[in-house]
Amino acid sequence: MPIRLLPPDLVNQIAAGEVVERPASVVKELVENAIDAGATRVAVKIEGGGRDLIEVSDDGGGIPIDELPLAVAAHATSKIRSSDDLSNIATLGFRGEALASIGSVSRLEIISRPRNQAEAGRIEVNGGAIEGPMPASGAPGTTIRVSTLFHNVPARRKFLKSEAAETGRVTELMETFALAHPGVSFRLDSGQRRVFELASAADRRARVDELLGPEIKPDLLEVDARGGTEGTGAIAVWGVVARPSAARATSRHQRLYVNGRAITDRSLLHAVKEAFRGVIDPARYPVAVIQLEIDPGEVDVNVHPAKTEVRFRQPSAVHAFLMRAVRSTLRAADLVPMFSLDSAAAHGAPQATGAAPLSPARDGAARGDWFRSQPMRPQSGFDYGTLEAKLAQPERTPSFVPHADHTDDARRDVLVHGTDRTERAPFASHDDTRNARAALSALPTLLRSGAVLQVHQSYLIMEDAEGIVLIDQHALHERVLYEQLFDRVMRGGLERQMLLAPIMIEVGPRAAERAESLAPLLARLGFEATPAGPRSVAIHAVPSFLASRHVDAGVFLAELLDRDDLADTEAAIHSVIDMMACKAAVKGGERLTAEEIARLLESRERIERSTNCPHGRPTSLRIPLREIEKRFGR
Ligand code: ADP
Ligand code: MG
């Protein structure tokens, strides 16, 4: 399509605003143009962090010499024609404004040659004044040179960061492009230094692996789903997420694309995080590169001048689609973290820095290094410090009575069914003795022969096909109870036990009100409680489950009513069930019988997300056989 001036009414419909803020924004616009022109090779060179020179060359379709004046004119584009096109954008650019804006704040030179043109054409814009077009020599493709950026806007020039910082931004941007355009080769030079060079990759996975680096590769799981005709038109997602154990402390390692365009979108990141709910520490962020392909008519990219935000016509359908896709990837994967015996890794020491063998970087330090700038965490990737502290509190409050008076048999039932055998229990119905026996006999012979060890009355040790598995009995039981309770609550609510005489509890000033506003939630959990005064609440019914686990229901409810984070019911249910599971689960330091152990391990096979406790802490760690063999020098 030739370049044309957009009609004024269409100009007015386009999200207006300045896009040239810093060197990286110039590079962004120029590389987008190269990709839109079908380039297979994009070479970027910057000097002085981009303030002295930015040069982008491509081997794309080129600009006919007679269209060069339009290319640098405001509101002129070859990519859209009418407002209908505006709602169906398949290119990265469409505003027809970038070259004009860049030309007004720098010295801009374009040399371009379409394949069918014998020689190249050249045009120059200097602070808005145009020179050319004139014939020039040049290979097919386009080279755009931007020098002395902001020479006429001293305020902007003053706000630029150091050369290293601006170079870092450009590098990160180039990596962002490279992740989504595997067929294109990218090169970045900063002064005399080659920052990186990426040959065109065999496929998208190869490109992602190359950019993310070899350290994370074993942790990457592929997301690949399509469908969603309902409400969204055709939609597909491809990408990678790293195992929960490789989650990071910040969201910097998350990349989102829609139709090849890098975007920021809190809702989609939330969908990814939601898929990881229960398998990572909620304070951490999953590593993710997510590429959505959706009918261009379903997404509005004309929201923000920098085109980094989009609006979906059916945001919740897209959210749900992405969440399901990531969740099914996690479900299909073995998420037990490998426990490395390597002392450096185990203590979280930074891995070797600089260019790894597979790394495209020649100079690791100069890269944006969005992925590797943080030292790798230990393989289990878990911040034990903070979580342990968090866990310690609810667990060690005196709000439950240890069940020292329970016989082993009764305790076993409690452990396995989450109920007392004395109770007409919610779980007894589908977990009768016969079922339990069948489950037991399905366990590996090893287990039946008692070869699962409980050590320090806290951990279980067993083997699996790949090595030795260590299990935290409390964490695993907590997850088991959580899943069982959640299932019950979703299927109608927890069984409750009416009290002959109400229990009166003293509560804080707002808690009595909360007892009223949370009544529906409390009812689902098996509680019935009414305010009995400004600072007291009467409990008429308690969840049978808590009673059977000897958790003091009064103390539990008082603690619950003291919380001010229970407004949103969905989150509240998770959170309260979490509290219940935590208080009711076996503790570290409790000796378990062989049968209790067997049942617990059987549940591990059966329930979802058994690799992590509800707080995201791992329930299991695996020492791979190869690790052991290495240590024994075999
Ligand atoms: P937009 O990309 O929004 O159309 P720009 O100001 O970035 O606006 O570019 C104006 C026009 O110049 C584009 O529509 C395109 O036709 C042409 N153009 C710019 N850069 C290139 C390039 N590298 N190769 C081919 N054509 C280009
Ligand atoms: Mg453009």
Coordinates of all heavy atoms in Angstrom, one line a residue, residues 140-214:
P140 N 19.0 -3.0 -1.3 CA 17.5 -3.1 -1.0 C 17.3 -3.1 0.5 O 18.0 -3.7 1.2 CB 17.1 -4.4 -1.6 CG 18.1 -4.6 -2.7 CD 19.4 -4.1 -2.2
G141 N 16.2 -2.3 0.9 CA 15.9 -2.2 2.3 C 16.0 -0.8 2.8 O 16.1 0.1 1.9
T142 N 16.0 -0.6 4.0 CA 16.0 0.8 4.6 C 17.0 1.0 5.7 O 17.2 0.1 6.5 CB 14.6 1.1 5.1 OG1 13.6 0.9 4.1 CG2 14.4 2.5 5.6
T143 N 17.7 2.1 5.6 CA 18.5 2.5 6.8 C 18.1 3.9 7.2 O 17.9 4.8 6.4 CB 20.0 2.6 6.3 OG1 20.4 1.3 6.0 CG2 20.9 3.1 7.5
I144 N 17.8 4.0 8.5 CA 17.4 5.2 9.1 C 18.4 5.7 10.2 O 18.7 4.8 11.0 CB 15.9 5.1 9.7 CG1 15.0 4.7 8.5 CG2 15.5 6.4 10.3 CD1 13.5 4.8 8.8
R145 N 18.8 6.9 10.0 CA 19.8 7.4 10.9 C 19.3 8.6 11.7 O 18.8 9.5 11.1 CB 21.0 7.8 10.1 CG 22.3 7.4 10.7 CD 23.5 7.6 9.7 NE 23.8 6.4 8.9 CZ 24.0 6.4 7.6 NH1 24.0 7.5 6.9 NH2 24.3 5.3 7.0
V146 N 19.3 8.5 13.0 CA 18.8 9.6 13.8 C 20.0 10.2 14.6 O 20.5 9.4 15.5 CB 17.7 9.1 14.8 CG1 17.2 10.2 15.7 CG2 16.6 8.5 14.0
S147 N 20.4 11.4 14.4 CA 21.5 11.9 15.1 C 21.2 13.1 16.0 O 20.1 13.8 15.7 CB 22.7 12.2 14.3 OG 22.3 12.8 13.1
T148 N 22.0 13.4 16.9 CA 21.8 14.5 17.9 C 20.3 14.6 18.3 O 19.7 15.7 18.2 CB 22.2 15.9 17.3 OG1 21.5 16.1 16.1 CG2 23.7 15.9 17.0
L149 N 19.9 13.5 18.9 CA 18.5 13.5 19.4 C 18.2 14.6 20.4 O 19.1 14.8 21.3 CB 18.2 12.1 20.0 CG 16.8 11.8 20.5 CD1 15.8 11.9 19.4 CD2 16.7 10.5 21.2
F150 N 17.1 15.3 20.3 CA 16.7 16.4 21.2 C 17.7 17.6 21.2 O 17.7 18.3 22.2 CB 16.6 15.9 22.7 CG 15.6 14.8 22.8 CD1 15.8 13.7 23.6 CD2 14.4 14.8 22.1 CE1 14.9 12.7 23.8 CE2 13.4 13.8 22.3 CZ 13.7 12.7 23.1
H151 N 18.4 17.8 20.1 CA 19.4 18.9 20.1 C 18.6 20.2 20.2 O 19.1 21.2 20.7 CB 20.2 18.9 18.8 CG 19.4 19.1 17.5 ND1 19.1 20.4 17.0 CD2 18.7 18.3 16.7 CE1 18.3 20.3 15.9 NE2 18.1 19.0 15.7
N152 N 17.4 20.2 19.8 CA 16.6 21.4 19.9 C 15.5 21.4 21.0 O 14.6 22.2 21.1 CB 15.9 21.7 18.5 CG 15.1 20.5 18.1 OD1 15.1 19.5 18.7 ND2 14.3 20.7 17.0
V153 N 15.6 20.4 21.9 CA 14.7 20.3 23.1 C 15.6 20.0 24.3 O 15.6 18.9 24.8 CB 13.7 19.1 22.9 CG1 12.5 19.4 23.8 CG2 13.3 18.9 21.5
P154 N 16.3 21.1 24.7 CA 17.3 20.9 25.8 C 16.7 20.2 27.1 O 17.3 19.4 27.7 CB 17.8 22.3 26.1 CG 17.2 23.2 25.1 CD 16.3 22.5 24.3
A155 N 15.4 20.5 27.3 CA 14.8 20.0 28.5 C 14.8 18.4 28.5 O 15.1 17.7 29.4 CB 13.4 20.5 28.7
R156 N 14.4 17.9 27.3 CA 14.4 16.4 27.1 C 15.8 15.9 27.2 O 16.0 14.8 27.8 CB 13.9 16.1 25.7 CG 12.5 16.2 25.5 CD 11.7 14.9 25.8 NE 10.3 15.2 25.9 CZ 9.5 15.1 24.8 NH1 10.0 14.6 23.7 NH2 8.3 15.4 24.9
R157 N 16.7 16.5 26.6 CA 18.1 16.0 26.5 C 18.7 15.9 28.0 O 19.3 15.0 28.3 CB 19.0 17.0 25.7 CG 20.2 16.3 25.1 CD 20.8 17.0 24.0 NE 22.2 16.6 23.7 CZ 22.5 15.6 22.9 NH1 21.5 15.0 22.3 NH2 23.7 15.2 22.8
K158 N 18.3 16.9 28.8 CA 18.8 16.9 30.2 C 18.2 15.7 31.0 O 18.9 15.2 31.9 CB 18.3 18.2 30.8 CG 19.4 18.9 31.6 CD 19.1 20.3 32.1 CE 17.8 20.5 32.7 NZ 17.3 21.9 32.6
F159 N 17.0 15.3 30.6 CA 16.4 14.2 31.4 C 16.9 12.8 31.0 O 16.5 11.8 31.6 CB 14.9 14.3 31.3 CG 14.4 15.2 32.4 CD1 14.0 16.5 32.1 CD2 14.3 14.7 33.7 CE1 13.6 17.4 33.1 CE2 13.8 15.6 34.7 CZ 13.5 16.9 34.4
L160 N 17.7 12.7 30.0 CA 18.2 11.4 29.6 C 19.1 10.9 30.7 O 19.8 11.6 31.4 CB 19.0 11.5 28.3 CG 18.1 11.9 27.1 CD1 19.0 11.9 25.8 CD2 17.0 10.9 26.9
K161 N 19.1 9.5 30.8 CA 19.9 8.9 31.9 C 21.3 8.7 31.4 O 21.6 9.1 30.2 CB 19.3 7.6 32.3 CG 17.9 7.7 32.9 CD 17.9 7.5 34.3 CE 16.6 7.7 35.1 NZ 15.5 8.4 34.6
S162 N 22.1 8.1 32.2 CA 23.5 7.8 31.8 C 23.5 7.0 30.5 O 22.6 6.3 30.1 CB 24.2 7.1 32.9 OG 23.7 5.7 32.9
E163 N 24.6 7.0 29.8 CA 24.8 6.2 28.6 C 24.5 4.7 28.9 O 23.8 4.1 28.1 CB 26.2 6.4 28.1 CG 26.5 5.6 26.8 CD 27.9 5.8 26.2 OE1 28.5 6.9 26.5 OE2 28.3 4.9 25.4
A164 N 25.0 4.2 30.0 CA 24.8 2.8 30.3 C 23.3 2.5 30.5 O 22.8 1.5 30.0 CB 25.6 2.4 31.5
A165 N 22.6 3.4 31.2 CA 21.2 3.2 31.5 C 20.4 3.2 30.2 O 19.5 2.4 30.0 CB 20.7 4.2 32.4
E166 N 20.7 4.2 29.3 CA 19.9 4.3 28.0 C 20.2 3.0 27.2 O 19.4 2.5 26.5 CB 20.2 5.6 27.3 CG 19.8 6.9 28.0 CD 18.3 7.0 28.2 OE1 17.5 6.3 27.5 OE2 17.9 7.8 29.0
T167 N 21.5 2.6 27.2 CA 21.9 1.4 26.4 C 21.1 0.2 27.0 O 20.7 -0.6 26.2 CB 23.4 1.2 26.5 OG1 24.0 2.4 26.0 CG2 23.8 0.0 25.6
G168 N 21.0 0.1 28.3 CA 20.3 -1.0 28.9 C 18.9 -1.0 28.4 O 18.3 -2.1 28.1
R169 N 18.2 0.1 28.3 CA 16.8 0.2 27.9 C 16.7 -0.3 26.4 O 15.8 -1.0 26.1 CB 16.3 1.6 28.0 CG 15.9 2.0 29.4 CD 15.4 3.4 29.3 NE 15.3 4.0 30.6 CZ 14.2 4.3 31.2 NH1 13.0 4.1 30.6 NH2 14.2 4.8 32.4
V170 N 17.6 0.1 25.6 CA 17.6 -0.3 24.2 C 17.8 -1.8 24.1 O 17.1 -2.5 23.4 CB 18.7 0.5 23.4 CG1 18.7 -0.1 22.0 CG2 18.3 2.0 23.3
T171 N 18.7 -2.3 24.9 CA 19.0 -3.7 24.9 C 17.8 -4.5 25.3 O 17.4 -5.5 24.6 CB 20.2 -4.0 25.8 OG1 21.2 -3.1 25.5 CG2 20.6 -5.5 25.6
E172 N 17.1 -4.1 26.4 CA 16.0 -4.8 26.8 C 14.8 -4.8 25.8 O 14.2 -5.8 25.5 CB 15.5 -4.1 28.1 CG 14.3 -4.8 28.8 CD 14.1 -4.4 30.2 OE1 15.1 -4.0 30.9 OE2 12.9 -4.6 30.7
L173 N 14.7 -3.6 25.1 CA 13.7 -3.5 24.1 C 14.0 -4.4 22.9 O 13.1 -5.1 22.4 CB 13.7 -2.0 23.6 CG 12.9 -1.7 22.4 CD1 11.4 -1.6 22.8 CD2 13.3 -0.5 21.7
M174 N 15.2 -4.5 22.5 CA 15.6 -5.4 21.4 C 15.3 -6.9 21.8 O 14.8 -7.7 21.0 CB 17.1 -5.3 21.1 CG 17.5 -3.9 20.6 SD 16.9 -3.7 18.9 CE 18.0 -4.8 18.0
E175 N 15.5 -7.2 23.0 CA 15.2 -8.6 23.5 C 13.7 -8.8 23.4 O 13.3 -9.9 23.1 CB 15.8 -8.8 24.9 CG 17.3 -8.9 24.9 CD 17.9 -9.0 26.3 OE1 17.2 -8.7 27.3 OE2 19.1 -9.3 26.4
T176 N 13.0 -7.8 23.8 CA 11.5 -7.9 23.8 C 11.1 -8.2 22.3 O 10.2 -9.1 22.1 CB 10.9 -6.6 24.3 OG1 11.4 -6.4 25.6 CG2 9.4 -6.7 24.3
F177 N 11.6 -7.5 21.4 CA 11.2 -7.7 20.0 C 11.7 -9.1 19.6 O 10.9 -9.9 18.9 CB 12.0 -6.7 19.0 CG 11.2 -5.4 18.9 CD1 11.8 -4.2 19.3 CD2 10.0 -5.4 18.2 CE1 11.2 -3.0 19.2 CE2 9.4 -4.1 18.1 CZ 9.9 -3.0 18.5
A178 N 12.9 -9.5 19.9 CA 13.4 -10.8 19.5 C 12.6 -11.9 20.0 O 12.4 -12.9 19.2 CB 14.9 -10.9 19.9
L179 N 12.1 -11.9 21.2 CA 11.3 -13.0 21.7 C 10.1 -13.3 20.9 O 9.7 -14.4 20.7 CB 10.8 -12.6 23.2 CG 11.8 -12.8 24.3 CD1 11.3 -12.2 25.6 CD2 12.1 -14.3 24.5
A180 N 9.5 -12.2 20.3 CA 8.3 -12.5 19.5 C 8.5 -12.6 18.0 O 7.5 -12.9 17.3 CB 7.3 -11.3 19.8
H181 N 9.7 -12.4 17.6 CA 9.9 -12.5 16.1 C 11.1 -13.4 15.8 O 12.1 -12.9 15.4 CB 10.1 -11.1 15.5 CG 8.9 -10.2 15.8 ND1 7.8 -10.2 15.0 CD2 8.6 -9.3 16.8 CE1 6.9 -9.4 15.5 NE2 7.3 -8.8 16.5
P182 N 10.9 -14.7 16.0 CA 12.0 -15.6 16.0 C 12.6 -15.7 14.6 O 13.8 -16.0 14.4 CB 11.4 -17.0 16.4 CG 9.9 -16.8 16.1 CD 9.6 -15.3 16.4
G183 N 11.8 -15.4 13.5 CA 12.4 -15.5 12.2 C 13.3 -14.4 11.8 O 14.0 -14.5 10.8
V184 N 13.3 -13.4 12.6 CA 14.1 -12.2 12.3 C 15.5 -12.2 13.0 O 15.5 -12.6 14.2 CB 13.4 -10.9 12.7 CG1 14.2 -9.7 12.3 CG2 12.0 -10.9 12.0
S185 N 16.6 -11.9 12.3 CA 17.8 -11.9 13.0 C 18.0 -10.4 13.5 O 17.6 -9.5 12.8 CB 19.0 -12.3 12.1 OG 19.2 -11.3 11.1
F186 N 18.5 -10.3 14.7 CA 18.7 -9.0 15.3 C 20.2 -8.8 15.8 O 20.8 -9.7 16.2 CB 17.8 -8.9 16.6 CG 16.4 -8.8 16.3 CD1 15.6 -10.0 16.3 CD2 15.8 -7.6 16.1 CE1 14.2 -9.9 16.1 CE2 14.4 -7.5 15.9 CZ 13.6 -8.7 15.9
R187 N 20.6 -7.6 15.6 CA 22.0 -7.3 16.0 C 22.0 -5.9 16.7 O 21.2 -5.0 16.2 CB 22.9 -7.2 14.8 CG 24.3 -7.2 15.1 CD 25.1 -7.5 13.9 NE 25.2 -6.3 13.1 CZ 25.5 -6.3 11.8 NH1 25.8 -7.4 11.2 NH2 25.6 -5.2 11.1
L188 N 22.7 -5.8 17.8 CA 22.8 -4.5 18.4 C 24.2 -4.2 18.7 O 25.0 -5.0 19.3 CB 22.0 -4.5 19.8 CG 22.1 -3.2 20.6 CD1 21.6 -2.0 19.9 CD2 21.4 -3.4 22.0
D189 N 24.7 -3.0 18.2 CA 26.0 -2.5 18.5 C 25.9 -1.2 19.3 O 25.1 -0.4 19.0 CB 26.8 -2.2 17.2 CG 27.2 -3.5 16.5 OD1 27.6 -4.4 17.1 OD2 27.0 -3.5 15.2
S190 N 26.7 -1.1 20.3 CA 26.7 0.2 21.1 C 28.2 0.7 21.0 O 29.1 0.0 21.5 CB 26.3 -0.1 22.5 OG 26.6 1.0 23.3
G191 N 28.4 1.8 20.3 CA 29.7 2.2 20.0 C 30.5 1.1 19.3 O 30.0 0.6 18.3
Q192 N 31.6 0.8 19.8 CA 32.4 -0.3 19.1 C 32.1 -1.7 19.6 O 32.6 -2.6 19.1 CB 33.9 0.0 19.4 CG 34.5 1.3 18.9 CD 34.2 1.4 17.4 OE1 34.5 0.5 16.6 NE2 33.6 2.5 17.0
R193 N 31.1 -1.7 20.5 CA 30.8 -3.0 21.2 C 29.6 -3.7 20.6 O 28.6 -3.1 20.4 CB 30.6 -2.7 22.6 CG 30.8 -3.9 23.6 CD 31.0 -3.3 25.0 NE 30.2 -2.1 25.2 CZ 29.0 -2.1 25.8 NH1 28.5 -3.1 26.3 NH2 28.4 -0.9 25.9
R194 N 29.8 -5.0 20.3 CA 28.6 -5.8 19.8 C 27.9 -6.2 21.1 O 28.4 -7.0 21.9 CB 29.1 -7.0 19.0 CG 28.2 -8.0 18.7 CD 27.4 -7.9 17.4 NE 27.8 -6.9 16.4 CZ 28.2 -7.2 15.2 NH1 28.3 -8.4 14.8 NH2 28.4 -6.2 14.4
V195 N 26.7 -5.7 21.3 CA 26.0 -6.1 22.5 C 25.3 -7.4 22.4 O 25.4 -8.3 23.2 CB 24.9 -5.0 22.9 CG1 24.2 -5.4 24.2 CG2 25.6 -3.7 23.1
F196 N 24.6 -7.6 21.2 CA 24.3 -9.0 20.9 C 23.9 -9.2 19.5 O 23.7 -8.3 18.7 CB 23.1 -9.5 21.9 CG 21.8 -9.0 21.6 CD1 21.0 -9.5 20.5 CD2 21.2 -8.1 22.4 CE1 19.7 -9.0 20.3 CE2 19.9 -7.6 22.2 CZ 19.2 -8.1 21.1
E197 N 23.9 -10.5 19.1 CA 23.6 -10.8 17.7 C 22.9 -12.1 17.8 O 23.3 -13.1 18.4 CB 24.9 -11.0 17.0 CG 24.7 -11.4 15.5 CD 25.9 -11.1 14.6 OE1 27.0 -11.1 15.2 OE2 25.7 -10.9 13.4
L198 N 21.7 -12.1 17.2 CA 20.9 -13.3 17.2 C 20.6 -13.7 15.8 O 20.0 -12.9 15.1 CB 19.5 -13.0 17.9 CG 19.4 -12.9 19.4 CD1 18.1 -12.2 19.8 CD2 19.5 -14.3 20.0
A199 N 21.0 -14.9 15.4 CA 20.6 -15.4 14.1 C 19.1 -15.7 14.1 O 18.5 -15.9 15.1 CB 21.4 -16.6 13.8
S200 N 18.6 -15.8 12.9 CA 17.1 -16.1 12.9 C 17.0 -17.5 13.4 O 17.8 -18.4 13.2 CB 16.5 -16.0 11.5 OG 16.7 -17.2 10.8
A201 N 16.0 -17.7 14.3 CA 15.9 -19.0 15.0 C 15.0 -20.0 14.2 O 14.2 -19.6 13.4 CB 15.3 -18.8 16.4
A202 N 15.3 -21.3 14.5 CA 14.5 -22.3 13.8 C 13.0 -22.2 14.1 O 12.2 -22.4 13.3 CB 15.0 -23.7 14.3
D203 N 12.7 -21.9 15.4 CA 11.3 -21.7 15.7 C 11.2 -20.9 17.0 O 12.2 -20.5 17.6 CB 10.6 -23.1 15.9 CG 11.3 -23.9 17.0 OD1 11.9 -23.4 17.9 OD2 11.4 -25.2 16.8
R204 N 10.0 -20.6 17.4 CA 9.8 -19.7 18.5 C 10.4 -20.2 19.8 O 10.9 -19.5 20.6 CB 8.4 -19.3 18.7 CG 7.4 -20.5 18.8 CD 6.0 -20.1 18.5 NE 5.1 -21.3 18.6 CZ 3.8 -21.3 18.4 NH1 3.2 -20.1 18.2 NH2 3.1 -22.4 18.5
R205 N 10.3 -21.5 20.0 CA 10.9 -22.1 21.2 C 12.4 -21.9 21.3 O 13.0 -21.6 22.3 CB 10.5 -23.6 21.3 CG 11.0 -24.3 22.6 CD 10.5 -23.6 23.8 NE 11.3 -23.9 25.0 CZ 10.9 -24.8 25.9 NH1 9.8 -25.5 25.7 NH2 11.7 -25.1 27.0
A206 N 13.0 -22.1 20.1 CA 14.5 -22.0 20.1 C 14.9 -20.6 20.5 O 15.8 -20.3 21.2 CB 15.0 -22.4 18.7
R207 N 14.1 -19.6 20.0 CA 14.4 -18.2 20.2 C 14.3 -17.9 21.7 O 15.1 -17.2 22.4 CB 13.5 -17.3 19.4 CG 13.7 -15.8 19.6 CD 15.0 -15.2 19.4 NE 15.7 -15.2 18.1 CZ 15.4 -14.3 17.1 NH1 14.5 -13.4 17.3 NH2 16.1 -14.4 16.0
V208 N 13.2 -18.4 22.3 CA 12.9 -18.2 23.7 C 14.0 -18.8 24.6 O 14.6 -18.2 25.5 CB 11.5 -18.7 24.1 CG1 11.4 -18.8 25.6 CG2 10.4 -17.8 23.5
D209 N 14.4 -20.0 24.2 CA 15.5 -20.7 25.0 C 16.8 -19.9 24.9 O 17.5 -19.8 25.9 CB 15.7 -22.1 24.4 CG 14.6 -23.1 24.8 OD1 13.8 -22.7 25.7 OD2 14.6 -24.2 24.3
E210 N 17.0 -19.4 23.7 CA 18.3 -18.7 23.6 C 18.3 -17.4 24.4 O 19.3 -17.1 25.0 CB 18.4 -18.4 22.1 CG 19.8 -17.9 21.7 CD 20.0 -17.8 20.2 OE1 19.0 -18.1 19.5 OE2 21.1 -17.4 19.8
L211 N 17.2 -16.7 24.4 CA 17.2 -15.4 25.2 C 17.1 -15.6 26.7 O 17.6 -14.9 27.4 CB 16.0 -14.6 24.7 CG 16.4 -13.7 23.5 CD1 15.2 -13.2 22.8 CD2 17.3 -12.6 23.9
L212 N 16.4 -16.7 27.1 CA 16.2 -16.8 28.5 C 17.5 -17.5 29.1 O 17.7 -17.3 30.3 CB 15.0 -17.6 28.9 CG 13.7 -16.8 29.1 CD1 13.4 -15.8 28.0 CD2 12.5 -17.7 29.4
G213 N 18.2 -18.2 28.3 CA 19.5 -18.7 28.8 C 19.4 -20.1 29.3 O 18.3 -20.6 29.6
P214 N 20.6 -20.8 29.4 CA 20.6 -22.2 29.7 C 20.2 -22.5 31.2 O 19.7 -23.6 31.4 CB 22.0 -22.6 29.4 CG 22.8 -21.3 29.5 CD 21.9 -20.2 29.1

